[in-house]
Amino acid sequence: MVPWGALNHLYKGLATIVIALIALQYLFGSVLENRRTTDTAESLIAQYNRYRNHNISKPRFYQGAPISIEKTNNNSILISTILNYNKSQATNNNSSNLTQFNENPSAIPNCPIVSPDLEGPIQVNKTISKINELEAQFGSWLQPGGAYAPTNCVSQSVVAVIVPYRDRAENLLLFLAHMHPFLKKQQLDYAIYIIEQDGTGPFNRAMLMNVGFTEALKHRQYQCFIFHDVDLLPEDDRNLYNCPEQPRHMSVAVDIFKYRLPYQTLFGGVCALTRDQFISVNGFSNMFWGWGGEDDDMSNRVIYHNYHISRYPVNIARYTMLTHHKQKANPKRYETLVEGKKRYSQDGLNSLKYTLKQTKFNLLYTWVLVELHAPS
Ligand code: BGC
């Protein structure tokens, strides 16, 4: 018979071993977990740097910052940004241009509302550069997707610039050449989205805006949206591309209109709405095929929903319009506009139908190619 004292020792010994094993598993488990995260981050950064050096396929990004993509227990995919990634902490270690994580992002101050880099009136250069020349010119600070964020302060505005597009290659080059330095000077955290309508059917500018809004929100929680024609270039950098309390009509004074607002309710060309404002008016109507009327419908939506249109003064909100072939005007635009009010709640973001053909994070812009479907 084993004496009770010996049994007691045996139990105590076993319990100690079990506790020690649990502690070891806990310790090594967390070390391994950290290692795994670091490895993922490092490999993504290596991919990022290789991509920036132009010789490999595109890495995975979340608006410029590398992302990790993992399978979760229930077999869904978890996409997470690598937190603490911040270009401001990037160090060039001579040969490898390795980017490091910012250990303490809160140390970076907020950017002032009005950037100290503003100049006021600026030149509009109409000399066309090739895409690779622009990439070389902006490549040291732009991130894939046509994205930028200040490196020495945290921007007050996270902005998506949504540009409806088809068949305006020269306008697009001038637009990109002008807008990137313009937006950077305003210390915005932004990305440019070019939303291209596939096919040759009538153009639907408003629907492309709705697509841009929807697709951009899949990439990032933008709070501010600037809906922007590709042929309009701002002439003064005090025209801030942020979202004030009320929806803002931005292209107030356009050269071809002799720098005068054609009519008080005009909301076309360039306008800014917060995410919440855009959702509350149900986005743009999807019913305007061909030129005209869709911006007037948006203006009516804004007013109907008890907002008012805000504007900068004419000496600041000045734009140059680039030349291009005129689109065919929509003969039904007036009747569609007049009936608009009946449809605000059923025609817009909630009735949007499209097929996403492609999304590409080019260095100068996020390209979204879509086929639009008329709402049933
Ligand atoms: C059209 C608008 C256009 C405005 C200025 C109006 O007649 O309906 O779509 O923005 O003219 O050109």
Side-chain angles (χ1 to χ4, degrees):
M1 173 119 179
V2 185
W4 170 245
L7 254 186
N8 204 8
H9 275 306
L10 187 69
Y11 285 143
K12 274 190 185 154
L14 278 174
T16 313
I17 289 168
V18 170
I19 290 169
L21 280 173
I22 291 171
L24 278 174
Q25 204 242 0
Y26 180 77
L27 192 69
F28 284 111
S30 66
V31 168
L32 285 174
E33 182 61 24
N34 278 338
R35 236 201 95 127
R36 190 181 56 72
T37 316
T38 313
D39 283 346
T40 315
E42 277 171 6
S43 72
L44 278 158
I45 286 176
Q47 281 188 60
Y48 173 72
N49 286 324
R50 283 210 303 280
Y51 173 72
R52 293 297 294 271
N53 293 338
H54 304 294
N55 47 21
I56 62 141
S57 62
K58 211 175 292 297
R60 297 187 166 100
F61 283 101
Y62 177 81
Q63 284 313 320
I67 53 172
S68 72
I69 300 190
E70 294 164 55
K71 269 212 162 128
T72 61
N73 293 343
N74 60 6
N75 244 0
S76 62
I77 302 266
L78 176 75
I79 303 188
S80 43
T81 40
I82 294 173
L83 294 175
N84 299 343
Y85 170 82
N86 193 304
K87 230 183 129 198
S88 66
Q89 299 290 305
T91 53
N92 279 350
N93 69 358
N94 300 335
S95 55
S96 70
N97 189 28
L98 246 188
T99 310
Q100 286 186 343
F101 289 134
N102 173 19
E103 299 285 77
N104 184 10
S106 57
I108 302 172
N110 284 343
C111 301
I113 302 280
V114 178
S115 159
D117 304 338
L118 301 186
E119 293 170 47
I122 47 166
Q123 282 299 314
V124 171
N125 184 352
K126 292 193 189 166
T127 318
I128 297 169
S129 306
K130 296 197 180 98
I131 200 102
N132 56 337
E133 290 167 350
L134 294 178
E135 284 179 347
Q137 202 179 328
F138 305 143
S140 62
W141 51 270
L142 262 190
Q143 299 187 345
Y148 170 79
T151 53
N152 56 352
C153 57
V154 177
S155 181
Q156 306 284 296
S157 301
V158 179
V159 182
V161 179
I162 308 291
V163 183
Y165 179 82
R166 186 168 68 186
D167 199 21
R168 296 260 177 100
E170 291 195 344
N171 284 182
L172 179 58
L173 289 169
L174 290 174
F175 178 82
L176 296 167
H178 189 78
M179 292 312 295
H180 278 304
F182 176 93
L183 298 167
K184 178 174 186 264
K185 265 197 281 167
Q186 295 193 354
Q187 294 190 321
L188 300 167
D189 180 342
Y190 73 89
I192 294 183
Y193 284 80
I194 304 296
I195 316 297
E196 178 165 355
Q197 182 174 337
D198 201 15
T200 53
F203 193 64
N204 192 325
R205 174 181 180 269
M207 211 165 167
L208 292 170
M209 305 287 203
N210 286 343
V211 172
F213 177 84
T214 309
E215 289 300 313
L217 283 176
K218 289 182 188 168
H219 305 152
R220 196 173 179 194
Q221 279 304 311
Y222 293 101
Q223 290 306 318
C224 175
F225 288 80
I226 311 283
F227 299 98
H228 209 302
D229 283 353
V230 72
D231 57 3
L232 286 171
L233 305 182
E235 296 180 9
D236 192 307
D237 61 20
R238 290 170 297 173
N239 182 359
L240 300 183
Y241 274 45
N242 56 17
C243 285
E245 251 177 52
Q246 294 294 327
R248 182 189 272 153
H249 177 233
M250 307 192 58
S251 46
V252 180
V254 181
D255 58 352
I256 59 145
F257 297 135
K258 301 196 165 60
Y259 292 107
R260 282 199 293 253
L261 184 68
Y263 52 97
Q264 262 314 311
T265 54
L266 180 66
F267 205 59
V270 186
C271 63
L273 290 103
T274 64
R275 173 183 163 275
D276 294 347
Q277 287 162 357
F278 197 73
I279 290 171
S280 70
V281 302
N282 196 17
F284 281 90
S285 162
N286 298 312
M287 309 288 280
F288 291 84
W289 299 87
W291 183 89
E294 80 298 334
D295 48 350
D296 300 316
D297 183 87
M298 179 49 117
S299 172
N300 291 346
R301 284 178 188 233
V302 162
I303 294 159
Y304 178 83
H305 289 89
N306 295 322
Y307 295 115
H308 68 257
I309 298 175
S310 63
R311 289 192 180 95
Y312 275 122
V314 281
N315 64 323
I316 289 181
R318 288 166 70 89
Y319 283 78
T320 297
M321 188 181 277
L322 301 171
T323 50
H324 50 77
H325 317 293
K326 288 257 173 297
Q327 265 190 76
K328 232 181 104 198
N330 170 8
K332 291 204 201 132
R333 64 189 186 281
Y334 295 116
E335 51 186 279
T336 317
L337 183 63
V338 169
E339 289 164 3
K341 198 184 280 182
K342 290 188 222 145
R343 293 189 318 262
Y344 296 156
S345 60
Q346 310 99 279
D347 165 26
L349 282 176
N350 64 358
S351 63
L352 180 64
K353 284 201 187 119
Y354 62 96
T355 306
L356 179 63
K357 294 241 153 155
Q358 212 174 327
T359 301
K360 220 169 155 196
F361 297 93
N362 294 329
L363 185 61
L364 298 171
Y365 56 92
T366 302
W367 179 59
V368 177
L369 180 68
V370 280
E371 187 184 318
L372 301 180
H373 305 300
S376 37

